[in-house]
Structure formats: C-alpha cells, structure tokens
Amino acid sequence: EPEVTQTPSHQVTQMGQEVILRCVPISNHLYFYWYRQILGQKVEFLVSFYNNEISEKSEIFDDQFSVERPDGSNFTLKIRSTKLEDSAMYFCAVRRALGTGELFFGEGSRLTVL
Amino acid sequence: SQQGEEDPQALSIQEGENATMNCSYKTSINNLQWYRQNSGRGLVHLILIRSNEREKHSGRLRVTLDTSKKSSSLLITASRAADTASYFCATDANTGGFKTIFGAGTRLFVKA
C-alpha cells in the first residue's frame, strides 16, 4: 500500500478557475507537504503543515494558495484562481518524524491550465 | 537559500560503469537526503546521512558528506539501465524539517 495517494492524477482547467488537489496519507504520518515541479525543472517547496496549521511556506505560496486537512485524513491544496504558470506537477509528501524522517511522495497530480 | 545544488546536470554512462553525482548546500544541516525520480513519477527516498556521519552505504549506493565543504556525493556502482532517472539531494532548513529543500537534480542516463 502506498504511503500517500493523490487525486486527481491529471486535471485540465481554464485560467481563473479554482482547483483542489487531494492527498490521502496512511494514518501514521504527522507532517504534510506540498511541492511543485514545472516540467523538467526542480522540485519546489510550497508549504508544510503540522497539527492543523501551516508550519512553513515559500514565496510561491501566496494568497491564491491554501491548504487544509478538514477531516483528519484528506490533505488538500486549493488554488483559488489558476494562472497559466500554475501548470505543473504537484506532489504531496508526508513524513512520520522530523529530523531524521524520510519524505514519502505521492505520484503527483498534473495540472494543466489553459 | 540553503538549497542543495547538484552537478553535473546530466550524466550519460554505459551499463556497468559507476555514476557519481555531487551536491552542494549553503547552510548548516542536520542531515542530507538523496532521492530518485523516474520520469513523471513521485520522488523515492534513497538514503539519508546525518551531519555527524561521513559515509554511508546502501546496496550499490555510497553517500559521502563533507560538512566543512558543505558538499555530498552519491555514487552508484555497477550501474544498470534501470538506474536511469533524476537524482536529487535534499536538505532541511534550520526549521528542523518543516522545510525540506531539493536541489535541481542530476539526470542520469545509463545506456544498455
């Protein structure tokens, strides 16, 4: 069983539309992350989340982005009004422990903004 | 920024040869991790080396860490075509793991 499952695997949307990407980790993970990878480029940190609040966020994670874990299982990334440059692979990652804990990545959600 | 930066950006070798990838970072770290990504897939953790360790082995992987030079290397011995992937180093910011930053990666191509 994978440590984390992401849905959808691919979403195509029109510019200006809202998008919600979902991540479902198995139950013993405490730390949650979203990363973005524009095609062929580096894996960029967006945000980390622990104990129902944001722990760290990057400059990419502006007011158009939000995260939540409303029901204690799904961890979601919402982009309120998508732009063309939001087209990328979005990866959810989870971790059991800080410091020495490895990150477990989902297979990603490919977002295409037209 | 305390991002790791890898070199080379791309590496092409023959099956059976060794592949060495290097990573440099800018700030003090608690540990450094290496990940692998097959094209279009999620990253997979390979190995973690703590700041008080100098070398670590896992199967055909050998990682070294030089904290005085703020650099690490990943050696894959006896490479196989299936090792073809991108390899990333990652370090945690001083926030203790809430912000793990990845380098730009090395694309390794192993020719059969």
Side-chain angles (χ1 to χ4, degrees), chain A residues 3 25-32 69 72 94-97 104:
Chain A
E3 298 283 337
I26 62 175
S27 61
N28 56 348
H29 290 287
L30 301 177
Y31 306 92
F32 307 93
R69 196 168 176 235
V94 296
R95 188 177 243 161
R96 291 194 186 98
F104 296 92

Side-chain angles (χ1 to χ4, degrees), chain A residues 69-109:
Chain A
R69 196 168 176 235
D71 57 5
S73 62
N74 291 289
F75 178 51
T76 62
L77 174 69
K78 182 191 292 186
I79 309 175
R80 279 185 245 289
S81 178
T82 50
K83 309 185 194 75
L84 295 176
E85 54 265 36
D86 293 328
S87 294
M89 281 289 283
Y90 289 81
F91 291 103
C92 172
V94 296
R95 188 177 243 161
R96 291 194 186 98
L98 293 179
T100 59
E102 66 182 270
L103 284 167
F104 296 92
F105 279 79
E107 287 298 319
S109 294

Side-chain angles (χ1 to χ4, degrees), chain B residues 57-70:
Chain B
H57 297 255
S58 177
R60 293 185 295 112
L61 304 181
R62 173 177 169 256
V63 169
T64 63
L65 179 64
D66 187 336
T67 52
S68 66
K69 294 181 180 177
K70 292 187 169 57

